[in-house]
Amino acid sequence: MTIQTIATTPFAGQRPGTSGLRKKVTEFQQPGYLENFVEAIFLTLGDFQGRTLVLGGDGRYFNRNAIQTILRMAAAHGVGRVLVGRGGILSTPAVSCVIRKRAALGGIVLSASHNPGGPDGDFGIKYNIDNGGPAPEKITEAIYAHTQTLTSYRISDAGPVDLDRIGSIRIEDMEVEVIDSVTDYAELMAGLFDFDAIRALFARGFTMRFDGMSAVSGPYAKAIIEGMLGAPAGTVVNFEPLEDFGGHHPDPNPVNAAELIALMDGPDAPDFGAASDGDGDRNMIVGRKLAVSPSDSLAIIAANASAAPGYRDGIKGIARSMPTSQAADRVAAALGVSCFETPTGWKYFGNLLDAGLATLCGEESYGTGSAHIREKDGVWAVLFWLNLIAASGKSVNEIVQEHWARFGRNYYSRHDYEAVDAAAANAMMEALRGKLASLAGQTFGDYRVQLADDFTYTDPVDQSIATRQGVRIVMTDGSRIVLRLSGTGTEGATVRLYLERYEADPARHNLDTQAALAPLIAIAEQVSELKVRTGREQPSVIT
């Protein structure tokens, strides 16, 4: 084996987005494309001598190829040891778990999360730091800067590693340890939740359907829910990670998990339904004829946190992304704890968690998590709901209705306009920003604008500032319209429109969500000129 220095030239557009670099597989397959970005990571991090790196991905197409390349490059850069999941599989929450448990310097996660997979699909790569969370902007910007100036990368000419056999092998002076993908994560879950109570729940005949969506959470759900908790065989479906996710879009929402929704709406529905996404960090909770809003799920978990042993002493605070509904704010107020509003992106929660200011975090995009790791965690959220059901003896629907009766309901929806012409989307946002100063005080139907701004966040821990994080139009009654461009797509631009209205009256807690939000939808269109500027009459997806 020898270490080679390969001449290269920069590729344009390798700036990481909300959660790493995401592009089409065909872009990553260009000679030197992946290598350049990985080289930039190693150059940014500096001395890896004797340190441990965690490596794994969601099993999508190109995952195994990328792992072999990264292992050879890690060896060339003097990494002491790499822990890689068997078969190249590690969910994003599991990577965070292993980094923290094994005191690793960091980890490389190979995933495009909920984006489609396969040869014509998407691929992604991101770096997680030593707390287990996504690299902050100062690191991702340094990585990007290196991608613009590269002239070479270093790589060993070693042969491929057998990723399917647990054990150790050496590349150059580096140890590669193939580990069981599930063990460390399952051990952590067993310490947070009352597995005895959940086992008893299943033993009494409780029924469930967990849809792994042919993605990475399947092996974790199969091992924990069926293996450790005793749920009947067949409870977990689509549990084998496939390179193309079975041709489906691995995003756990009512549109993409239509089969699960149909089951839960039908006459033979099980007691509880759940799903997770491509890399295992998102979740959808479903009762009978009820898909629970992710914003409500966060609020309900917060309100009932002490039901789980790992949170029996209560929570220190809640953090939510700005577009996420204010349902959690009401719970925080009732509990007497802080609620932090951050930009979209899990990296913004890291400082709050590390400083002990927050225990629970959530994003409206089906992401919920806690201080147990530094990523959102799909299986964790499902286990929390199972623990809550076991402890309360109530159904999902009863838990949700009782929560609304106590706190009121925040009607909430997100409208996604996908693959919009990027120039048109950016022009729309700039035009909207130009109107903000004049919107406050204006009246639209029954609504009067109290605040209109482009969200700016000052981190309470390190005082770092993030600007232009989404346009907010807030009404005097607290109703909100939010518009922002997503940083997770790979084609054109995705415009996200978020709508929220609070309803205190229990008699009005079961309205159709889109009907309840219709006046705000009309105002959003009027102010943003979204349809005219994007050429789209309807959203691509409504959740």
Side-chain angles (χ1 to χ4, degrees):
M1 292 183 289
T2 59
I3 295 173
Q4 302 176 326
T5 299
I6 309 296
T8 190
T9 55
F11 289 87
Q14 288 197 322
R15 171 177 267 134
T18 304
S19 194
L21 180 68
R22 294 181 184 175
K23 301 287 183 181
K24 289 295 182 183
V25 168
T26 49
E27 286 198 55
F28 273 100
Q29 288 176 320
Q30 298 173 85
Y33 190 92
L34 172 67
E35 290 86 345
N36 274 23
F37 192 77
V38 174
E39 182 74 13
I41 292 175
F42 287 132
L43 290 175
T44 300
L45 299 175
D47 186 11
F48 258 109
Q49 296 294 328
R51 302 299 300 272
T52 297
L53 183 71
V54 180
L55 175 61
D58 59 17
R60 69 176 58 229
Y61 188 84
F62 197 59
N63 190 70
R64 284 177 175 262
N65 306 66
I67 285 175
Q68 298 290 353
T69 296
I70 294 168
L71 287 173
R72 292 159 53 212
M73 293 186 69
H77 283 271
V79 175
R81 180 173 65 151
V82 175
L83 303 173
V84 59
R86 180 168 55 186
I89 295 291
L90 277 176
S91 72
T92 295
V95 170
S96 185
C97 168
V98 175
I99 290 172
R100 295 170 66 81
K101 180 177 179 179
R102 307 292 186 99
L105 178 63
I108 294 178
V109 186
L110 301 173
S111 173
S113 188
H114 55 291
N115 292 9
D120 298 319
D122 298 339
F123 192 76
I125 177 172
K126 70 173 181 175
Y127 181 75
N128 280 26
I129 60 176
D130 59 358
N131 75 349
E137 197 165 301
K138 63 182 179 182
I139 292 180
T140 58
E141 281 299 298
I143 292 170
Y144 174 59
H146 279 300
T147 68
Q148 295 177 295
T149 59
L150 286 174
T151 58
S152 65
Y153 61 84
R154 300 176 68 204
I155 189 168
S156 169
D157 64 357
V161 172
D162 184 353
L163 297 175
D164 297 308
R165 184 165 61 89
I166 291 176
S168 295
I169 190 174
R170 299 198 75 81
I171 299 179
E172 307 292 351
D173 294 325
M174 181 182 79
E175 179 187 7
V176 178
E177 182 182 351
V178 179
I179 63 173
D180 183 277
S181 302
V182 177
T183 300
D184 288 342
Y185 178 84
E187 180 184 279
L188 178 59
M189 294 301 103
L192 294 174
F193 301 112
D194 188 345
F195 275 20
D196 288 339
I198 301 173
R199 270 191 289 267
L201 178 71
F202 281 116
R204 292 194 298 270
F206 181 83
T207 55
M208 174 185 178
R209 171 68 60 85
F210 181 102
D211 191 340
M213 303 188 80
S214 301
V216 80
S217 65
Y220 297 85
K222 187 80 170 173
I224 296 171
I225 295 173
E226 292 189 11
M228 300 174 71
L229 297 175
T235 295
V236 180
V237 300
N238 300 320
F239 57 83
E240 181 182 353
L242 302 177
E243 289 191 336
D244 65 349
F245 305 117
H248 300 296
H249 197 307
D251 194 359
N253 63 50
V255 176
N256 293 318
E259 184 178 331
L260 176 64
I261 294 297
L263 174 68
M264 296 304 298
D265 285 351
D268 299 319
D271 297 306
F272 179 47
S276 188
D277 75 326
D279 66 333
D281 64 358
R282 300 181 184 217
N283 73 92
M284 181 173 69
I285 303 299
V286 191
R288 288 175 173 165
K289 298 184 178 181
L290 174 66
V292 181
S293 157
S295 297
D296 281 346
S297 182
L298 171 64
I300 290 167
I301 287 173
N304 299 278
S306 60
Y311 308 88
R312 63 165 52 95
D313 295 331
I315 61 174
K316 297 177 180 177
I318 307 169
R320 63 164 177 83
S321 65
M322 181 272 287
T324 300
S325 95
Q326 299 168 100
D329 303 47
R330 301 181 184 281
V331 174
L335 296 176
V337 301
S338 298
C339 188
F340 299 91
E341 185 178 45
T342 75
T344 296
W346 209 259
K347 60 189 176 185
Y348 293 104
F349 295 140
N351 279 354
L352 300 171
L353 295 169
D354 287 346
L357 296 176
T359 303
L360 298 174
C361 303
E363 295 183 334
E364 51 70 36
S365 55
Y366 294 85
T368 325
S370 86
H372 69 290
I373 56 172
R374 294 296 181 270
E375 289 277 6
K376 49 186 175 279
D377 191 344
V379 172
W380 170 90
V382 173
L383 292 173
F384 210 122
W385 273 87
L386 282 171
N387 198 143
L388 178 54
I389 292 166
S392 68
K394 298 172 182 175
S395 69
V396 172
N397 300 55
E398 289 170 332
I399 291 168
V400 171
Q401 291 289 339
E402 289 182 12
H403 182 88
W404 289 343
R406 179 183 175 189
F407 294 100
R409 180 176 182 183
N410 287 71
Y411 281 100
Y412 182 85
S413 183
R414 186 180 92 188
H415 293 196
D416 287 354
Y417 295 79
E418 297 175 340
V420 172
D421 177 78
N426 281 297
M428 181 198 73
M429 292 301 296
E430 287 305 315
L432 182 56
R433 290 185 178 101
K435 298 178 181 178
L436 294 178
S438 63
L439 282 177
Q442 287 194 39
T443 298
F444 297 89
D446 294 333
Y447 289 98
R448 184 176 177 83
V449 178
Q450 179 177 344
L451 167 73
D453 69 359
D454 197 349
F455 181 56
T456 295
Y457 175 67
T458 301
D459 190 299
V461 178
D462 64 14
Q463 303 307 307
S464 60
I465 298 174
T467 61
R468 295 169 68 92
Q469 294 298 312
V471 169
R472 300 185 298 179
I473 302 171
V474 183
M475 308 302 179
T476 52
D477 69 347
S479 298
R480 297 193 306 160
I481 296 168
V482 175
L483 283 113
R484 58 180 287 271
L485 303 185
S486 170
T488 60
T490 61
E491 286 186 280
T494 295
V495 179
R496 300 205 197 281
L497 167 63
Y498 310 84
L499 307 133
E500 176 181 11
R501 177 175 79 82
Y502 176 71
E503 178 58 68
D505 183 1
R508 296 179 58 80
H509 283 173
N510 293 295
L511 304 176
D512 175 80
T513 297
Q514 300 307 313
L517 295 171
L520 288 172
I521 295 171
I523 295 169
E525 160 57 21
Q526 178 183 345
V527 173
S528 69
E529 301 175 310
L530 193 154
K531 291 182 181 179
V532 172
R533 289 182 173 274
T534 65
R536 299 293 182 85
E537 284 298 316
Q538 300 293 333
S540 309
V541 179
I542 296 177
T543 54

